[in-house]
Amino acid sequence: MHITDNFDSGNIRVITAADANNIQLEIKHDNQSDFYQWFHFKLHNELDVNGNRQEHIMQIKNTENSAFPGGWKNYQAVASYDRQYWFRVPTQYSDSVLTITFTPEFDSAYLAYFAPYSYERHQDLLHNAQMHTHCQLQVLGQTIDGREMSLLTIGEAGDGKRNIWITARQHPGETMAEWFVEGMLDRLLDEDDGVARALLNKAVFYIVPNMNPDGSVRGHLRTNAVGANLNREWLEPTMDRSPEVYLVREKMLAVGVDMFLDVHGDETIPANFVAGCEGVVAYDTRHKALEDKFKEIMLAITPEFQDELGYEKEQPGKANPTIGTHWVGNQFTCLAYTIEMPFKDNKFLPDDTVGWSDERSRILGRDFLTGIYHMVDDLR
Ligand SMILES: [Zn+2]
């Protein structure tokens, strides 16, 4: 048996793996940070003496001090043989130990916290998109590890056009965010799609599919190469600590923002929801009306969206101004939402086989484009 995390977005430390019945593992911290929760590793297994597949009992031992201990309760890990189809595997949580019980059907399997979105797929996404009419691929600058901060601009600037910004994966372990963007982008670039065509008559889309490529490749949950939680850097980003936010923010200030969606995953809450700007200083009745309308529209579009479970509402003026959605919503007095998808499942529409998944995230991204279509005339 052999376990490795030596690949794009891998993360695991092996304590012992001598016996299939007793594999003990730890998740590595994000570099220069206390955060950890994302895991992703390959298990190469062997047949037993009778030539049968063996049950593997894998215990992740250090969940107690992970970023979101509540995320492990009722959580099921994902596995894949072909790195295309990811399915849930039996997982239990007790006494601060996450135990995955898995009998592989093939020689090698990948296990992960959620379906990974690789750096290679990220490049495919960007380079496929750039070949479409009205799409530009721009490099805003470099990350600390020397990767590109890539922005896709879809649509032609023009009089009265709204500027709609979408960012994803500030928290790199929240891979569902880039799956969501992939679904939205597929639809937006489809020249036969009436919603996309109508939207592009009225708006220009600025899409950053991966806000944190360094953290993504490093197998981080929440931070960039030097341990900065990018979604706490929006008030005063610097090129030394948070160039990812600095570069995107500069571009926003240059072109303006009429709507902002920042796409995330939530470790604990088993549902899709949004978190808005009710606590920002500039919040007013118009802002609230926009938020309420968008929520109503999304509720009408898809049962995958709901407004029962979510974060507690913030008190007026008390929102943390370093969070991306809050900074944008306040700076541009525009509709700005953080979208959260579950690592677990949508408890209102559960699927025991895959849970919340890459494909469901893609479909939700498509559905949010419909929602934007119904909002675009109200944005200014
Ligand atoms: Zn997040």
Side-chain angles (χ1 to χ4, degrees), residues 76-114:
Q76 309 284 299
V78 298
S80 177
Y81 300 115
D82 60 4
R83 307 199 304 151
Q84 304 292 321
Y85 175 66
W86 294 84
F87 52 92
R88 300 278 168 169
V89 291
T91 307
Q92 287 178 335
Y93 186 60
S94 64
D95 297 331
S96 298
V97 174
L98 188 81
T99 303
I100 304 167
T101 306
F102 179 49
T103 304
E105 292 176 31
F106 298 96
D107 295 332
S108 182
Y110 282 80
L111 288 108
Y113 189 33
F114 194 84

Side-chain angles (χ1 to χ4, degrees), residues 269-290:
I269 298 174
N272 294 296
F273 59 97
V274 289
C277 286
E278 71 281 354
V280 309
V281 174
Y283 194 71
D284 58 15
T285 52
R286 174 189 155 272
H287 206 151
K288 182 179 189 320
L290 288 172

Side-chain angles (χ1 to χ4, degrees), residues 336-356:
Y337 263 137
T338 303
I339 298 171
E340 297 282 355
M341 287 172 279
F343 277 88
K344 297 171 180 173
D345 202 347
N346 173 7
K347 71 172 272 194
F348 302 102
L349 199 58
D351 180 325
D352 291 343
T353 306
V354 294
W356 188 251

Side-chain angles (χ1 to χ4, degrees), residues 171 174 222 231 263-265 267 340:
H171 298 141
E174 295 162 11
R222 206 159 164 79
N231 206 23
V263 192
H264 287 253
E267 289 77 359
E340 297 282 355

Side-chain angles (χ1 to χ4, degrees), residues 117 121-129 178 181-182 185 209:
Y117 198 102
R121 192 176 183 107
H122 171 63
Q123 296 301 329
D124 289 345
L125 181 80
L126 297 173
H127 289 79
N128 175 58
E178 195 161 4
V181 164
E182 187 180 296
L185 200 54

Side-chain angles (χ1 to χ4, degrees), residues 47-271:
L47 303 177
D48 68 13
V49 289
N50 299 315
N52 297 320
R53 294 288 171 194
Q54 301 186 67
E55 181 177 83
H56 289 66
I57 299 175
M58 295 168 271
Q59 294 191 317
I60 297 179
K61 307 289 275 190
N62 65 336
T63 56
E64 190 170 3
N65 295 314
S66 62
F68 301 96
W72 304 115
K73 201 178 155 210
N74 300 320
Y75 164 77
Q76 309 284 299
V78 298
S80 177
Y81 300 115
D82 60 4
R83 307 199 304 151
Q84 304 292 321
Y85 175 66
W86 294 84
F87 52 92
R88 300 278 168 169
V89 291
T91 307
Q92 287 178 335
Y93 186 60
S94 64
D95 297 331
S96 298
V97 174
L98 188 81
T99 303
I100 304 167
T101 306
F102 179 49
T103 304
E105 292 176 31
F106 298 96
D107 295 332
S108 182
Y110 282 80
L111 288 108
Y113 189 33
F114 194 84
Y117 198 102
S118 73
Y119 191 65
E120 286 301 308
R121 192 176 183 107
H122 171 63
Q123 296 301 329
D124 289 345
L125 181 80
L126 297 173
H127 289 79
N128 175 58
Q130 71 165 350
M131 292 164 64
H132 285 72
T133 328
H134 311 310
C135 183
Q136 284 181 291
L137 170 57
Q138 188 180 353
V139 174
L140 299 176
Q142 315 298 320
T143 65
I144 292 165
D145 284 343
R147 293 191 178 84
E148 290 155 347
M149 280 307 294
S150 301
L151 169 71
L152 292 169
T153 305
I154 300 115
E156 315 257 326
D159 270 0
K161 286 251 184 116
R162 275 68 169 178
N163 296 314
I164 297 174
W165 281 80
I166 314 286
T167 60
R169 288 187 89 180
Q170 290 201 72
H171 298 141
E174 295 162 11
T175 53
M176 59 285 279
E178 195 161 4
W179 290 111
F180 175 104
V181 164
E182 187 180 296
M184 178 179 278
L185 200 54
D186 273 352
R187 182 156 195 208
L188 193 56
L189 295 173
D190 183 347
E191 291 172 20
D192 296 318
D193 191 305
V195 166
R197 291 175 57 219
L199 262 174
L200 292 176
N201 285 335
K202 296 178 173 180
V204 180
F205 282 76
Y206 299 86
I207 301 181
V208 185
N210 189 337
M211 281 290 294
N212 195 339
D214 291 351
S216 301
V217 174
R218 284 169 173 262
H220 285 186
L221 174 74
R222 206 159 164 79
T223 67
N224 72 356
V226 293
N229 177 354
L230 296 181
N231 206 23
R232 300 294 183 275
E233 292 282 322
W234 283 75
L235 202 54
E236 292 178 316
T238 65
M239 281 303 286
D240 286 340
R241 180 171 166 77
S242 44
E244 301 90 344
V245 173
Y246 183 91
L247 293 164
V248 168
R249 211 183 83 134
E250 288 296 295
K251 187 73 178 178
M252 285 177 165
L253 290 167
V255 304
V257 184
D258 297 310
M259 179 178 186
F260 177 52
L261 298 176
D262 185 32
V263 192
H264 287 253
D266 187 89
E267 289 77 359
T268 308
I269 298 174

